[in-house]
Each structure stands twice: as structure tokens, then as C-alpha cells.
Amino acid sequence: MMRGRNTLAVILDGSSEKGKLAAKKLMEDYDKVLLVGKDREKLRQSVEEISGQFSPKNVYFIQADLTVKFQLPKFIDLVKHKFGGADCVADFMDIQDPIKKKELALALEQFHNYAVNELALYILCIYMDNLLSF
């Protein structure tokens, strides 16, 4: 799909089972995958698991809670300046709290405005569920 130009897929809640499955699938089409989540140890284990099947230098993680305002600018800066922006965003975050859900929506809007490349693909969980079932 997008291989060949230093592409990046960002997976929100990348240490979840769906996030890991998506990362493995997206590694087929993107040069690098960045897992995002709150639990550093789970993220590290997920990277190790995925790296067993793909080049370890192409799977990264960042511990971040995008509903926390001071963490968002650091996340945006990392994706934009270290990786050159995101070419795919897969969101598996299941937030029930209405306030946190609204904060995440605002964070994702800022992320989109500053760190997502123009032709990026947003993958909705429903689509990924179908994709992962193959």
C-alpha cells in the first residue's frame, strides 16, 4: 500500500490484543509502526512480540495518555519531527468516560492538524475488526 517512502502507522492502544494484531497487519504495508499506550511494560512486551516477526528497528512505542494535555504536544512533536508525520492512524482506545472521550477527540483533532500527513488513512475499529478477521 504505502511502502517505500518511510511511512508510519500509529496505533492508539497499541498494547491491546487488537492493537497488536493491527500492528502485525500494518507492518505488511507500512515501513514503521508506532504503538501508543499508557502502560510502558505492556508496550515493551508488545514491541518484543511484534519484533519477533518483523525487523525490530521498525517497531516503536511511546508511553502517553493523549487525554492528558501536557503529554499531547510531546507526542505530536515526536511523530512530526522524528518520524515525519503519520500516514495511518488506527484507534483502538475504548474510553467510556464522556469527559475523557471529549478530551481524546480534541487531542486527536490537534494530532491530525499537526502530525498527520495529508493523505493519511484513518482506520476505524469496525474496519480493523473486519481486516483482522481474515
Side-chain angles (χ1 to χ4, degrees):
M1 179 194 286
M2 298 280 297
R3 242 192 213 294
R5 65 171 199 89
N6 207 24
T7 55
L8 174 70
V10 174
I11 302 173
L12 304 179
D13 199 10
S15 61
S16 68
E17 287 305 313
K18 286 183 179 183
K20 289 187 289 188
L21 285 171
K24 292 174 185 177
K25 186 70 177 165
L26 291 170
M27 282 301 298
E28 296 171 9
D29 294 320
Y30 293 86
D31 297 315
K32 294 176 279 205
V33 170
L34 177 64
L35 307 179
V36 182
K38 294 179 189 178
D39 188 320
R40 184 175 188 81
E41 185 57 28
K42 281 185 175 181
L43 288 165
R44 189 192 60 71
Q45 290 172 357
S46 297
V47 166
E48 284 181 13
E49 180 182 327
I50 296 164
S51 294
Q53 298 175 4
F54 300 94
S55 174
K57 65 181 180 206
N58 294 334
V59 184
Y60 305 88
F61 76 87
I62 182 170
Q63 179 183 4
D65 181 349
L66 300 183
T67 64
V68 177
K69 290 182 183 183
F70 75 88
Q71 292 185 16
L72 181 62
K74 292 178 184 177
F75 174 67
I76 289 171
D77 187 58
L78 175 88
V79 172
K80 185 67 178 173
H81 294 106
K82 179 173 178 147
F83 295 104
D87 300 289
C88 173
V89 180
D91 181 4
F92 294 98
M93 296 179 67
D94 184 25
I95 298 177
Q96 300 301 317
D97 180 282
I99 294 171
K100 290 282 188 189
K101 192 176 259 191
K102 184 175 181 178
E103 289 171 351
L104 178 64
L106 292 171
L108 290 177
E109 183 178 334
Q110 283 185 306
F111 178 63
H112 173 77
N113 290 337
Y114 296 106
V116 175
N117 294 328
E118 191 174 322
L119 299 175
L121 173 65
Y122 275 86
I123 299 179
L124 301 175
C125 294
I126 296 167
Y127 171 75
M128 279 310 287
D129 286 343
N130 292 333
L131 181 67
L132 297 175
S133 66
F134 287 100

